Amino acid sequence: MDLKSFTKAILPDFRQALSQLSHHKLRSALTLLGMVFGVAAVIAMLAVSEGGRREAMQLVEGMGVRNLIVDAVEGSGDELREVRAHSDGLSTADARAIKATMPFVEAWAGVRQISAWNLISHEGQSQAEVYAVSPSYFSLSGLEASQGNLINEHDDMRFAQKAVLGNVAYRQLFPNGGGIGKRIKINYLWVEVAGVLRDSQIDDEEFQGEQVGGESERVYLPLQTGLKRLRLNALSSELSSLKLQIAAEVPPAEAARAVQHLLNRRHGGQEDTRIVVPARLLAQQRQTQRIFTIVMSAVAGISLLVGGIGIMNIMLASVLERKPEIGLLRAVGATQMDVVRQFLVETAVIALIGALAGVLLGIAIAYSIAGFADWSVAWSVPTIALAVGVCVSIAVGFGVYPSLSAARLDPVEALQDE
């Protein structure tokens, strides 16, 4: 049978199914509820899950999935003095030693946070954080300039008094724009604005216990400028953190163990550094998300199962009510296959209406969750189509038995049924 013939044969059954639903509006609505809530749960779960996955990928890309992040761990007072008796803390010398002895380290970038008590321009002021960074920091962090230029090696070598601003810090310091080439004052040091970062759309937030993002509210100086031209705490480490880019073929966890072993030897056994592995954080997040997806899928599956049972019950009741109609159809020449097709089409129509209503309800639930819990949601058309397809398939599966029961009725007995 070609498509045209199939469509011609199925349309009367489709109209008949809609007519049956309209004759029993309340019963049809109650039958739909199981499918509506089941699909809604699936759609909401998929939207939240996909939104979480995309947000996690965006956050990890900001950290660098191939990076290791070495953070300086510093105490205070007598504890810090005791540590400094054995270790000078995290430094550029550590970075150079790691690069020289470990061939799997492709690049590194040092970071030093500056205590900024004064950050102003002639047009505004800001509470943005100030960081002195190596020129390679921007490429390792996936940051690009939307205006002007980023810091380069020449700027770092000559202690250039230049700065790159995040877009929020830029708007605060230069509310009227046109800040490239103008000067800002950091504590007592005047620096020239060389560039503005492109908005990464990542706010300062926590991911698996680690602070991520926040670049839009920061000011970046060349690393050597920050170290040489701004007053720093004498007991603090030269670097606040160190980013290391690892070769793609090397497992990040193994690289982290090797780097930590080297740092422990260089620091006299003092535990004054810790290593964050973004790839490991991503794996932990995916595991959590996988558990969430399994639980929600089970709940949605139970709802769909209950909906399917409800459809089976209502179709069995429909078969009993429509015995004379079935007998008449058989008497005028309808085959058993024609009866089966009619009831299956009716089942599919019920499921399809329930699925579409469930999609709308699921979208509303997903956005409600996003609003109240401050979670991200994202949509995938194939997954929505899959959810609708699964719903209809389950309903049709539960409709097979009632359809066969109708087709197997004896025409004479069916016509005699009142």
Side-chain angles (χ1 to χ4, degrees):
M1 181 184 293
D2 58 17
L3 181 61
K4 185 176 181 180
S5 301
F6 177 78
T7 304
K8 186 176 180 180
I10 210 76
L11 280 178
D13 294 330
F14 187 78
R15 286 193 291 267
Q16 175 70 16
L18 291 177
S19 175
Q20 286 295 326
L21 290 176
S22 63
H23 287 161
H24 305 282
K25 294 183 178 64
L26 179 60
R27 187 174 71 181
S28 299
L30 293 174
T31 305
L32 291 175
L33 286 180
M35 289 298 167
V36 170
F37 290 126
V39 173
V42 171
I43 295 299
M45 178 269 296
L46 291 175
V48 172
S49 180
E50 180 66 13
R53 186 190 69 81
R54 293 184 185 181
E55 185 177 40
M57 283 304 302
Q58 188 179 22
L59 292 172
V60 171
E61 284 172 2
M63 299 173 73
V65 71
R66 288 174 52 203
N67 292 345
L68 299 180
I69 302 173
V70 184
D71 288 330
V73 178
E74 297 184 346
S76 59
D78 293 338
E79 180 185 357
L80 181 57
R81 291 187 183 90
E82 177 66 25
V83 171
R84 287 293 171 264
H86 305 278
S87 168
D88 292 331
L90 191 62
S91 66
T92 53
D94 290 327
R96 287 191 289 269
I98 291 170
K99 183 69 171 65
T101 58
M102 298 184 176
F104 56 80
V105 176
E106 297 179 340
W108 65 272
V111 180
R112 174 58 192 259
Q113 185 171 8
I114 306 296
S115 178
W117 43 265
N118 184 36
L119 179 57
I120 61 172
S121 70
H122 291 299
E123 301 173 29
Q125 61 180 355
S126 174
Q127 299 296 320
E129 297 177 326
V130 179
Y131 289 85
V133 299
S134 302
S136 56
Y137 173 85
F138 300 101
S139 61
L140 295 187
S141 302
L143 301 176
E144 300 176 346
S146 61
Q147 300 180 49
N149 301 301
L150 299 176
I151 295 165
N152 56 43
E153 293 289 348
H154 182 64
D155 296 329
D156 195 44
M157 290 175 62
R158 67 187 184 90
F159 311 152
Q161 294 181 204
K162 290 185 177 182
V164 174
L165 310 184
N167 62 88
V168 172
Y170 178 72
R171 290 196 300 268
Q172 292 171 344
L173 292 167
F174 300 98
N176 299 318
I180 301 298
K182 294 183 178 179
R183 297 198 304 164
I184 62 174
K185 189 177 185 181
I186 302 173
N187 296 348
Y188 50 82
L189 180 70
W190 285 97
V191 298
E192 179 184 324
V193 177
V196 180
L197 292 178
R198 190 183 307 279
D199 189 1
S200 63
Q201 303 296 324
I202 302 178
D203 297 326
D204 190 4
E205 57 182 277
E206 189 174 279
F207 175 67
Q208 294 292 323
E210 300 294 332
Q211 291 300 122
V212 183
E215 287 84 3
S216 61
E217 298 182 39
R218 293 177 183 171
V219 174
Y220 295 97
L221 305 172
L223 179 61
Q224 295 304 320
T225 302
L227 296 178
K228 306 299 183 185
R229 297 187 183 275
L230 289 168
R231 187 176 295 118
L232 305 174
N233 185 338
L235 289 177
S236 63
S237 298
E238 182 182 22
L239 299 180
S240 303
S241 65
L242 178 64
K243 277 196 173 186
L244 305 172
Q245 187 178 68
I246 306 302
E249 65 274 10
V250 178
E254 293 183 12
R257 284 194 293 270
V259 171
Q260 189 67 72
H261 178 70
L262 176 61
L263 289 174
N264 287 343
R265 291 183 61 186
R266 289 181 55 84
H267 293 197
Q270 299 298 312
E271 296 181 356
D272 57 354
T273 61
R274 71 182 186 99
I275 299 181
V276 178
V277 185
R280 183 182 293 162
L281 298 181
L282 180 61
Q284 292 172 352
Q285 194 275 342
R286 284 177 173 170
Q287 177 64 21
T288 302
Q289 187 178 24
R290 192 176 299 114
I291 294 172
F292 169 80
T293 301
I294 291 171
V295 172
M296 288 301 298
S297 297
V299 173
I302 292 171
S303 297
L304 290 175
L305 184 64
V306 171
I309 294 172
I311 287 178
M312 178 189 282
N313 288 335
I314 208 67
M315 293 306 296
L316 287 172
S318 180
V319 169
L320 293 176
E321 290 178 359
R322 295 160 61 184
K323 276 188 176 182
E325 176 191 334
I326 296 168
L328 182 60
L329 286 172
R330 293 298 308 281
V332 298
T335 66
Q336 287 187 337
M337 197 62 208
D338 292 330
V339 176
V340 169
R341 187 183 66 244
Q342 177 178 325
F343 277 86
L344 286 182
V345 168
E346 188 171 326
T347 302
V349 169
I350 293 174
L352 187 60
I353 293 173
L356 295 178
V359 169
L360 297 178
L361 179 60
I363 291 173
I365 291 173
Y367 278 115
S368 298
I369 292 173
F372 285 107
D374 196 26
W375 289 358
S376 297
V377 296
W379 306 101
S380 173
V381 174
T383 55
I384 292 177
L386 178 63
V388 173
V390 169
C391 171
V392 174
S393 299
I394 290 175
V396 171
F398 276 98
V400 169
Y401 177 72
S403 301
L404 292 175
S405 298
R408 291 168 180 166
L409 288 175
D410 182 86
V412 176
E413 292 181 1
L415 282 170
Q416 292 175 346
D417 191 82
E418 297 181 0

